[in-house]
């Protein structure tokens, strides 16, 4: 009896083995025909990775980290909840986690040959294939394009971009019946929902539609579905979108003669320098779909030469993004942007690796990858890991730079002036689509990675459910986008372009000059459309002359030319604690708002003062460094100490301070300011060093239509003169003017002498 049972078991095992061999043979045959994976991972790439495993430290470390993360999720089991929450809520975060883990599990299956990862991906896909056909639109109704898994189609597209990569990784492991089922009940309906059923989301130029185009394009490449691929690349042929339809942020969805699809989104928002018109925060977000789809197209459709498109704009864009970070790698808060986002994000890990692999193996990018301390688990990550292993990296040195805006680079731009630890960011761009702010000629300043004069950024707590479901708050419109929230001129307490997107989106500032040398770095720009009949011209100079003033300082000249008397406000959103001023100010016993609209309703007035007749001196400390603002003022000017937070019952806004210089009933105004970073304080030794300004006086000695001349005097009574020509920015132009009976001659746009 025992012998018969043993023979039975042996026969059963043989039958199972034969069946398994048959399945493996079938799958091997399919592998040969379809050659998956072929999007991000490639069959050859997998072989190369396997051959190097154990000898490439950063790749091996990343692989182990991902393995532990995915194993932990597998042990929890599969959760595919019925959608109901906004960002930050359980269902939102679970579906988000799912698509990230799906992609990683698929990669692990390919690299480690462990079927448990393929089983996990398949089983989760089967759960989604059960759920998806039953789903109505998401129950939260806030978005102009509601999703099904998430409250907006944007997040649905995120899901499909990542899930497509997982599907590609297990494509050959699945049976044909399983693939047919998943494509019929999940992937094709998903792609059609994003595109055909939501043309207002899919057929536009915006980071939203980029994600949508790429989601459809990625799944199309896996399935070899040319119809879907054409939609992804060129958009829908017809869409019936109303001409005046707007998105949730007030931006128009359709413009006259606008091209659509992935290639249009590659052409229009990027300038030739790689600057993305929505600003670095959203450029970081959009770079993932842009680059991951480009990598897939390079692998499957090399004839498109996508990395050569628009003079290699995609790899330029990665370097542009790195140049728009502070010392610590955090992106400057231009337009809608959350403080703290940096090149350590998962999107920038992907971007740096792809840019290195497809952009000429620039060793400077390796130094960024080394700081990121992780790589993509694909061909690009392997290239980076090998480059680091072979010690090929060079430092990425961020210098003063100008990045143009607009598809042809003719819609203003962004300039970063750098000297030692000081960074001055000057914005004179186009509107920036619906994520743009009304802040022409605004600036902000960093010292040693610390924001000293700040840009507020966005009014949103991203993915924090307690704050509006993690979405944009109403204060983003009533405060963060308004001009008074930024360090630039406000006329008659009204925002630039009256805060109207339809007007702002048609206009941009223009660079007047950008010139840098060792001692002085200067940028200047003009804005003639923010206010009817008023011309704005701002010049920022970062000056380093140790024989005059020991530390670099900023000279800020803001010229306003009007056709009628106006009230002008220039705020400085300083960070830190006031140390000393030369003002006789009156603190307000009762806090009142500075105004009733255009952002003024969110400012409490804390103190008021008449300006000194010559110079305002404002000294403060931030992160144990002293700063001084010296401003050439008149006795008729008013100084306002204000603080953000009025009309904010839910505490959605930070309670940050500002100092505002107001000029009343003025036709033409000139603001001249110098900002110094100087000295330090040690809370350990309790010593302060160099706590006072080195500038004794700043004054305007000439201001005409053609020239402005500013004298700066230091504490040793030494003086320097900065003269700029306001009407001729030719670097070769010759100038001769007389200032206080002294003649000055020079060639170029300005002189500092």
């Amino acid at each position: 009896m025992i012998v018969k049972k043993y023979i039975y078991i042996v026969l059963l095992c043989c039958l199972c083995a034969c069946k398994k061999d048959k399945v493996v043979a079938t799958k091997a045959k399919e592998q040969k025909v379809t050659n998956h994976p072929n999007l991000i991972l490639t069959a050859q790439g997998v072989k190369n990775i396997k051959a190097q495993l154990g000898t490439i430290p950063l790749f091996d470390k990343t692989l182990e980290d991902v393995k532990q993360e995915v194993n932990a999720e597998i042990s929890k089991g599969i959760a595919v909840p019925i959608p109901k929450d906004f960002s930050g809520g359980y269902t939102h975060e679970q579906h988000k986690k799912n698509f990230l883990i799906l992609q990683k599990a698929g990669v692990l299956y390919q690299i480690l040959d462990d079927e448990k990862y393929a089983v996990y991906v398949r089983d989760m896909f089967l759960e989604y294939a059960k759920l998806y056909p039953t789903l109505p639109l998401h129950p939260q109704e806030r978005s102009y394009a509601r999703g099904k898994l998430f409250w907006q189609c944007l997040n649905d597209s995120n899901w499909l971009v990542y899930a497509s990569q997982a599907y590609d990784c297990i494509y050959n492991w699945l049976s044909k019946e399983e693939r047919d089922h998943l494509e019929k009940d999940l992937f094709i309906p998903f792609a059609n929902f994003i595109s055909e059923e939501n043309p207002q989301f899919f057929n536009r130029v915006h980071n939203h539609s980029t994600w949508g185009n790429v989601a459809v394009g990625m799944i199309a490449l896996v399935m070899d579905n040319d119809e879907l691929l054409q939609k992804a690349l060129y958009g829908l042929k017809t869409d019936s979108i109303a001409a005046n339809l707007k998105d949730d942020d007030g931006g128009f969805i359709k413009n006259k003669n606008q091209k659509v699809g992935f290639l249009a989104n590659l052409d229009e928002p990027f300038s030739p320098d790689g600057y993305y018109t929505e600003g670095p925060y959203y450029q970081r977000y959009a770079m993932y779909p842009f680059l991951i789809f480009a990598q897939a197209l390079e692998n499957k459709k090399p004839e498109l030469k996508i990395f050569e498109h628009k003079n290699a704009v995609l790899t330029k864009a990665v370097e542009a993004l790195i140049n728009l970070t502070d010392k610590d790698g955090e992106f400057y808060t231009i337009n809608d942007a959350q403080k703290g986002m940096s090149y350590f994000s998962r999107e920038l890990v992907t971007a740096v690796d792809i840019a290195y692999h497809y952009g000429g193996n620039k060793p400077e990018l390796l130094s960024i990858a080394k700081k990121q301390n992780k790589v993509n688990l694909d061909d690009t990550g392997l290239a980076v890991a090998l480059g680091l292993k072979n010690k090929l990296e060079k430092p990425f040195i961020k210098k003063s730079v100008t990045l143009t805006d607009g598809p042809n680079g003719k819609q203003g731009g962004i300039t970063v002036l750098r000297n030692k630890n000081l960074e001055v960011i000057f914005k004179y761009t186009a509107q920036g689509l619906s994520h743009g702010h009304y802040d022409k000629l605004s600036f902000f300043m960093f010292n040693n990675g610390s924001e000293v004069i700040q840009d507020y950024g966005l009014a949103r707590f991203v993915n924090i459910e307690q704050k509006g479901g993690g979405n944009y708050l109403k204060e983003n419109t009533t405060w963060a986008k308004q001009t008074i929230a930024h360090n630039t001129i406000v006329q008659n307490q009204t925002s630039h372009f009256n805060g109207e997107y339809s007007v702002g989106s048609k206009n941009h500032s223009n660079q007047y000059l950008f010139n840098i040398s060792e001692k002085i770095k200067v940028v200047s720009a003009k804005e003639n459309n923010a206010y009817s009949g008023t011309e704005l011209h701002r010049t920022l100079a970062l000056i380093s002359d140790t024989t005059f003033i020991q530390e670099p300082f900023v000279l800020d000249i803001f010229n306003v030319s009007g056709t009628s008397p106006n009230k002008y406000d220039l705020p400085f959103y300083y960070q830190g604690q006031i140390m000393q001023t030369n003002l006789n100010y009156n603190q307000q016993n009762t806090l009142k708002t500075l105004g009733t609209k255009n952002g003024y309703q969110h400012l409490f007035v804390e103190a008021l003062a008449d300006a000194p007749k010559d110079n305002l001196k404002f000294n403060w400390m931030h992160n144990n460094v002293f700063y001084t603002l010296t401003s050439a003022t008149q006795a008729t000017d008013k100084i306002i100490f204000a603080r953000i937070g009025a009309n904010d019952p839910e505490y959605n806004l930070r309670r940050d301070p500002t100092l505002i210089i107001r000029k009343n009933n003025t036709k033409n105004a000139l603001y001249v300011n110098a900002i110094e970073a100087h000295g330090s304080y040690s809370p350990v030794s309790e010593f302060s060093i160099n706590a006072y300004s080195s500038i004794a006086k700043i004054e305007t000695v000439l201001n005409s239509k053609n020239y402005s001349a500013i004298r700066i005097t230091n504490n040793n009574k030494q003086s320097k003169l900065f003269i700029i020509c306001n009407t001729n920015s030719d670097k070769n132009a010759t100038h001769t003017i007389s200032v206080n009976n002294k003649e000055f001659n020079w060639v170029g746009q300005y002189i500092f002498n």
Side-chain angles (χ1 to χ4, degrees):
M1 188 70 180
I2 294 174
V3 174
K4 288 183 179 179
K5 184 176 181 180
Y6 175 75
I7 293 171
Y8 173 77
I9 291 171
V10 171
L11 289 172
L12 184 62
C13 289
C14 290
L15 287 171
C16 290
C18 291
K19 184 178 180 181
K20 183 176 180 181
D21 289 342
K22 184 178 179 181
V23 171
V24 170
T26 301
K27 289 180 177 178
K29 183 179 179 181
E30 291 177 355
Q31 173 86 17
K32 185 177 180 180
V33 173
T34 55
N35 195 31
H36 288 268
N38 56 22
L39 260 65
I40 308 308
L41 276 173
T42 63
Q44 185 58 49
V46 171
K47 290 180 181 178
N48 295 340
I49 289 168
K50 289 178 178 178
Q52 297 280 352
L53 284 182
T55 68
I56 35 176
L58 186 53
F59 195 99
D60 293 335
K61 174 191 175 298
T62 304
L63 181 63
E64 184 58 32
D65 290 345
V66 170
K67 182 179 174 182
Q68 290 183 19
E69 179 187 9
V70 174
N71 286 348
E73 290 303 317
I74 290 176
S75 69
K76 295 177 185 177
I78 292 171
V80 181
I82 296 174
K84 68 172 186 176
D85 299 321
F86 273 131
S87 306
Y90 165 69
T91 64
H92 181 100
E93 294 306 303
Q94 185 61 50
H95 289 298
K96 179 180 177 181
K97 181 188 290 184
N98 284 350
F99 69 66
L100 293 170
I101 296 298
L102 276 169
Q103 188 267 343
K104 292 175 181 178
V107 169
L108 291 179
Y109 165 66
Q110 283 293 330
I111 295 175
L112 300 177
D113 286 324
D114 189 335
E115 282 198 345
K116 78 174 181 181
Y117 299 113
V119 170
Y120 180 76
V121 172
R122 178 199 62 193
D123 290 352
M124 187 179 290
F125 278 156
L126 290 174
E127 289 300 313
Y128 274 108
K130 289 179 189 175
L131 177 67
Y132 195 79
T134 71
L135 291 179
L137 291 179
H138 196 279
Q140 301 291 353
E141 299 181 2
R142 182 178 295 182
S143 177
Y144 76 104
R146 288 157 66 191
K148 288 190 174 184
L149 292 178
F150 300 91
W151 68 277
Q152 57 177 346
C153 277
L154 173 61
N155 300 95
D156 279 36
S157 299
N158 287 191
W159 190 95
L160 190 55
V161 168
Y162 283 87
S164 297
Q165 298 171 59
Y167 185 42
D168 181 48
C169 285
I170 69 161
Y171 189 94
N172 292 112
W173 180 85
L174 294 168
S175 68
K176 185 177 185 305
E177 291 74 19
E178 288 168 331
R179 291 198 300 269
D180 289 345
H181 168 53
L182 292 176
E183 292 177 12
K184 175 178 175 292
D185 290 342
L186 180 59
F187 296 130
I188 292 176
F190 207 125
N192 286 334
F193 172 74
I194 289 171
S195 56
E196 298 285 351
E197 296 180 45
N198 283 280
Q200 79 281 12
F201 164 77
F202 192 78
N203 253 28
R204 62 183 303 208
V205 172
H206 195 276
N207 76 79
H208 286 195
S209 50
T210 297
W211 276 98
N213 300 155
V214 170
V216 173
M218 291 286 280
I219 199 65
L221 288 176
V222 183
M223 301 186 301
D224 287 320
N225 187 319
D226 191 60
E227 180 183 353
L228 285 178
L229 182 60
Q230 294 303 306
K231 288 181 188 178
L233 292 173
Y234 305 105
L236 305 173
K237 292 181 179 179
T238 58
D239 54 35
S240 303
I241 300 172
N244 60 349
L245 187 64
K246 294 183 179 181
D247 65 15
D248 304 321
D249 301 304
F252 287 115
I253 287 175
K254 191 172 186 178
N255 296 320
K256 188 177 180 181
N257 301 321
Q258 178 177 287
K259 293 182 179 179
V260 292
F262 176 75
L263 295 177
N265 274 280
L266 188 53
D267 284 333
E268 292 192 34
F270 285 105
S271 78
D273 295 327
Y275 176 73
Y276 187 73
T277 193
E278 293 184 57
Y281 179 78
Y282 276 97
Q283 180 168 352
R284 171 273 323 170
Y285 179 58
M287 286 313 293
Y288 184 85
F290 273 122
L291 285 164
I292 212 75
F293 191 40
Q295 185 178 354
L297 288 171
E298 188 72 11
N299 285 328
K300 290 209 68 173
K301 300 287 182 181
E303 65 274 12
L304 290 177
K305 298 182 179 180
I306 199 69
F307 282 106
E308 298 176 27
H309 192 83
K310 198 174 179 178
N311 198 23
V313 72
L314 279 177
T315 51
K316 283 183 182 178
V318 178
E319 295 181 51
L321 262 180
I322 296 170
N323 271 309
L324 290 174
T325 63
D326 67 14
K327 178 186 174 184
D328 301 319
E330 295 183 1
F331 296 114
Y332 300 133
T333 46
I334 298 163
N335 295 328
D336 282 343
Q338 177 165 255
K339 293 178 186 291
M341 178 55 72
S342 74
Y343 60 48
F344 294 101
S345 66
R346 63 176 178 270
E347 297 93 346
L348 258 292
V349 171
T350 295
V352 168
D353 288 5
I354 293 176
Y356 176 78
H357 187 60
Y358 292 103
N361 300 121
K362 293 183 178 180
E364 295 81 7
L365 291 175
L366 291 177
S367 67
I368 304 298
K370 188 175 184 178
K371 292 178 182 178
Q372 292 171 331
N373 200 30
K374 62 180 69 172
V375 292
N376 297 334
L377 297 180
D378 62 17
D379 308 42
T380 67
L382 177 63
V384 167
L386 287 171
L388 288 170
K389 176 188 175 182
N390 295 324
K391 302 186 184 304
L392 300 178
E393 76 269 17
K394 292 182 180 179
F396 192 108
I397 299 173
K398 290 181 278 189
K399 300 177 181 179
S400 296
V401 64
T402 281
L403 299 170
T404 58
D405 194 5
N408 298 311
K410 297 180 179 179
Q411 295 180 12
I414 291 281
T415 292
V416 183
L417 300 179
R418 292 184 167 101
N419 192 304
K420 293 186 177 178
N421 290 324
L422 283 187
E423 299 171 313
V424 177
I425 300 90
F426 186 36
K427 181 191 176 194
Y428 48 96
T429 62
Q431 180 62 29
L433 302 179
S434 59
H435 285 297
H437 289 189
Y438 300 97
D439 62 332
K440 300 304 181 191
L441 309 190
S442 68
F443 93 108
F444 47 108
M445 172 179 156
F446 283 73
N447 183 31
N448 199 29
S450 178
E451 196 172 23
V452 179
I453 304 290
Q454 72 149 335
D455 183 279
Y456 188 87
L458 52 72
R460 178 186 182 187
F461 295 80
V462 181
N463 285 341
I464 297 178
E465 188 178 23
Q466 302 96 304
K467 288 293 188 181
N471 304 315
Y472 279 98
L473 301 163
K474 60 182 176 60
E475 289 81 7
N476 199 60
T477 299
T478 61
W479 168 252
K481 288 192 174 190
Q482 300 296 327
T483 306
I484 189 58
H486 304 84
N487 307 297
T488 189
I489 288 287
V490 186
Q491 177 177 298
N492 298 328
Q493 297 190 201
T494 302
S495 288
H496 296 171
F497 312 112
N498 202 31
E500 295 179 8
Y501 177 80
S502 59
V503 180
S505 61
K506 295 176 183 177
N507 295 286
H508 59 84
S509 305
N510 290 298
Q511 186 186 91
Y512 179 66
L513 69 88
F514 171 64
N515 201 341
I516 58 174
S517 66
E518 284 188 19
K519 284 192 174 183
I520 184 165
K521 307 176 192 302
V522 182
V523 61
S524 185
K526 295 185 177 185
E527 170 56 54
N528 298 327
N529 300 298
Y531 298 110
S532 178
T534 300
E535 296 180 359
L536 306 177
H537 181 189
R538 191 172 207 171
T539 300
L540 292 166
L542 182 52
I543 300 171
S544 179
D545 186 346
T546 56
T547 64
F548 180 55
I549 292 176
Q550 188 63 35
E551 296 296 330
F553 68 96
V554 179
L555 178 63
D556 175 18
I557 305 170
F558 210 144
N559 231 317
V560 186
S561 302
T563 54
S564 60
N566 296 294
K567 176 171 63 180
Y568 300 113
D569 288 336
L570 179 59
F572 291 90
Y573 285 89
Y574 65 93
Q575 296 282 276
Q577 179 72 40
I578 297 174
M579 295 288 103
Q580 186 182 57
T581 78
N582 64 343
L583 298 171
N584 293 317
Y585 53 82
N586 295 311
Q587 286 194 325
Q588 304 299 290
N589 293 325
T590 302
L591 292 179
K592 296 181 180 179
T593 60
L594 191 55
T596 60
K597 57 184 179 179
N598 302 322
Y600 280 79
Q601 75 275 23
H602 290 299
L603 285 172
F604 279 125
V605 178
E606 293 187 331
L608 297 169
D610 293 327
K613 64 179 181 180
D614 50 10
N615 275 189
L616 159 69
K617 300 290 285 189
F618 179 71
N619 178 243
W620 77 98
M621 185 173 70
H622 181 51
N623 286 350
N624 297 321
V625 176
F626 295 99
Y627 300 90
T628 299
L629 168 69
T630 304
S631 181
T633 53
Q634 299 172 307
T636 55
D637 295 344
K638 303 297 180 183
I639 307 300
I640 303 167
F641 292 86
R643 191 171 298 273
I644 305 166
N647 291 301
D648 181 29
E650 297 181 355
Y651 289 85
N652 288 332
L653 298 174
R654 301 190 303 273
R655 270 46 181 167
D656 296 337
T658 184
L659 179 142
I660 301 171
I661 304 173
R662 173 171 284 180
K663 295 180 183 292
N664 284 304
N665 197 30
T666 303
K667 182 178 177 181
N668 299 317
L670 178 67
Y671 286 85
V672 179
N673 303 282
I675 304 171
E676 302 166 79
H678 54 88
S680 63
Y681 175 74
S682 169
V684 176
S685 68
E686 297 183 331
F687 281 115
S688 62
I689 300 171
N690 194 24
Y692 294 93
S693 167
S694 296
I695 294 176
K697 189 176 183 180
I698 186 169
E699 58 187 321
T700 303
V701 293
L702 173 68
N703 189 42
S704 66
K705 178 181 178 181
N706 293 324
Y707 296 97
S708 295
I710 310 301
R711 178 182 287 124
I712 306 162
T713 303
N714 67 17
N715 291 332
N716 296 324
K717 298 184 179 180
Q718 296 173 305
S719 292
K720 293 272 189 174
L721 207 61
F722 179 85
I723 309 173
I724 183 171
C725 178
N726 297 320
T727 53
N728 186 351
S729 61
D730 186 348
K731 291 182 179 180
N732 299 313
T734 58
H735 303 273
T736 300
I737 66 168
S738 179
V739 179
N740 293 341
N741 298 319
K742 182 178 180 180
E743 188 174 275
F744 290 85
N745 302 281
W746 76 94
V747 176
Q749 304 140 326
Y750 57 84
I751 184 174
F752 180 66
N753 195 328

